[in-house]
Amino acid sequence: MPEYEFRDVYVPRGVSRAAAVRLLTDHAEYGHWELARLRLYPDGSRRVRLRRRIIRQLRATW
């Protein structure tokens, strides 16, 4: 089963939807994050949980 690391991002209510999409797109492109969960609150703020897979390298034995 793959292991993931998580990052929580809070987007305040004054941020437009287009700006939030740009922010999450940058995280996805440059940090290799993917969307795990998005929660939209009644006041318009968003709490986003991003995840990316942890890749473990095995030590080469000689």
Side-chain angles (χ1 to χ4, degrees), residues 6 18 29-30 51:
F6 294 92
E29 277 189 42
Y30 302 115
R51 74 177 186 180

Side-chain angles (χ1 to χ4, degrees), residues 29-41:
E29 277 189 42
Y30 302 115
H32 305 288
W33 293 96
E34 62 184 27
L35 183 65
R37 176 171 291 161
L38 184 135
R39 185 163 187 191
L40 178 62
Y41 291 99

Side-chain angles (χ1 to χ4, degrees), residues 1-12:
M1 185 160 176
E3 291 184 51
Y4 292 98
E5 65 177 308
F6 294 92
R7 173 177 285 177
D8 292 325
V9 178
Y10 176 75
V11 182

